Amino acid sequence: MSLTGKVAIVTGSGRGLGLAYAQELARHGARVVVNDVDQQVADDAVAAITAAGGEAVGVVAPVGPTETAKALVAAAVEHFGRLDILVTNAGVLRDTVLWKMSDDDFDTVINVHLRGTFTCVREAATYLREQGEGGRIICIGSPTGQRGNFGQTNYAAAKAGIVGMVRTWALELARANITANAVIPVAATAMTETVPFFKDFVDAAARGEQMPPFARRVLGFGTPDDVAGVVAFLASDAAAGINGQAVGVGGDRLAVWSHPQEVTTAFTDGGWSYEALTEDWESLFGGALQSVGQPMPAPPARAGTEPGEKVRS
């Protein structure tokens, strides 16, 4: 199932995860529109893809505005004659705790991640529906959007919103044979190098060293190349039956995230009064409350696999 003949747009693909996605798509035959806000970075990414035998063109523009979305789709059609795949990866961070987060901190992250995903998908979906040959929408989420993370109100809101939009688009675009899925990556990038827990692993990857099994298996933490294969797979015809899913990947781990759903329910005639809740809450729901945040286990003396995990070597 090669991607020969397909055309892909990858936002934020000048470096890091986005570049890995663009290179992997090109390696499997797709022609790629690279996007970054830095001309030199975009040029270098295009040069790397073409040097490896692929085809690519760069669009230098910030993701968020509708004008950028239109320019990306126009570049795909002008240079390669069509569009088949969109990967929305562009993002920024403005981390700080709630009481110190400014309006600009919040708006900047929401504009790039959430609005940028919306405008790019809207433009691509409009073209794909008119083209009439189906297509693939792949949006990049984050564990922060799934579980929350200290100091990332803006990022959590954006990434949770992206997955919510993906589920909606999966419904809206299905009749046009356009799938929409989210990828939840965990990898050594410029964004994760600021997380103290991951710093040693990110530094090891930067030195070209193999990450330990604890990182790759227990944490599901690896390199951008570990994530790129999943993106290429979801972009292919082999993934035609996968729609509306949030697929987690990192290191040696591959997972499907659950959709939010009720974990337990209770009923009382006439509805729930303050008095009834005060009396009955603990017995009914005390053991069902969900944890928040991303648990970070202490590295064991000898890291192994988790119980019940499916291992494929």
Side-chain angles (χ1 to χ4, degrees):
M1 291 286 185
S2 79
L3 299 177
T4 300
K6 306 288 188 182
V7 175
I9 296 168
V10 185
T11 68
S13 49
R15 52 168 66 93
L17 282 165
L19 177 57
Y21 303 154
Q23 290 176 315
E24 183 72 357
L25 291 167
R27 189 171 74 84
H28 290 281
R31 292 166 288 175
V32 182
V33 176
V34 169
N35 162 250
D36 200 272
V37 294
D38 186 299
Q39 183 71 60
Q40 188 60 57
V41 170
D43 290 345
D44 290 347
V46 169
I49 290 169
T50 56
E55 294 183 59
V57 64
V59 172
V60 178
V63 166
T66 295
E67 292 73 21
T68 297
K70 290 183 179 295
L72 289 167
V73 172
V77 176
E78 177 183 347
H79 290 275
F80 303 127
R82 58 183 295 114
L83 176 65
D84 303 278
I85 302 155
L86 170 66
V87 182
T88 61
N89 171 75
V92 295
L93 290 179
R94 296 290 187 273
D95 292 355
T96 190
V97 291
L98 171 62
W99 52 94
K100 294 183 179 179
M101 185 171 289
S102 68
D103 289 355
D104 185 64
D105 290 333
F106 186 84
D107 292 344
T108 297
V109 171
I110 294 297
N111 183 62
V112 177
H113 285 278
L114 191 61
R115 189 175 192 274
T117 295
F118 161 70
T119 56
C120 288
V121 172
R122 179 180 60 184
E123 194 67 23
T126 300
Y127 181 84
L128 290 171
R129 291 179 75 249
E130 293 173 353
Q131 186 172 262
E133 299 177 30
R136 301 285 181 267
I137 304 294
I138 302 163
C139 301
I140 307 303
S142 167
T144 294
Q146 304 295 97
R147 296 188 57 87
N149 193 32
F150 189 95
Q152 291 194 311
T153 293
N154 43 13
Y155 187 66
K159 289 304 191 181
I162 286 170
V163 176
M165 293 193 300
V166 161
R167 296 189 186 109
T168 299
W169 296 333
L171 298 171
E172 294 177 345
L173 299 173
R175 289 185 62 182
N177 295 318
I178 302 168
T179 63
N181 291 288
V183 170
I184 314 298
V186 184
T189 67
M191 287 190 176
T192 53
E193 72 180 1
T194 63
V195 181
F197 190 88
F198 291 131
K199 186 178 187 308
D200 289 345
F201 305 130
V202 174
D203 290 346
R207 294 191 297 268
E209 299 172 6
Q210 179 69 30
M211 290 189 189
F214 173 75
R216 296 189 60 83
R217 291 291 181 97
V218 179
L219 299 179
F221 184 81
T223 68
D225 288 341
D226 294 321
V227 181
V230 173
V231 171
F233 167 70
L234 291 174
S236 74
D237 292 341
I242 305 172
N243 197 23
Q245 303 303 303
V247 180
V249 59
D252 297 330
R253 178 188 293 175
L254 181 67
V256 174
W257 283 86
S258 67
H259 297 323
Q261 59 185 358
E262 298 167 340
V263 295
T264 189
T265 57
F267 299 90
T268 188
D269 292 339
W272 291 94
S273 67
Y274 170 84
E275 291 78 10
L277 289 168
T278 301
E279 181 177 350
D280 297 333
W281 177 271
E282 185 62 29
S283 62
L284 292 171
F285 298 113
L289 300 184
Q290 306 294 286
S291 64
V292 295
Q294 303 169 60
M296 297 296 185
R302 185 175 181 180
T305 60
E306 295 176 329
E309 144 182 66
K310 296 180 180 178
V311 178
R312 180 175 179 178
S313 58

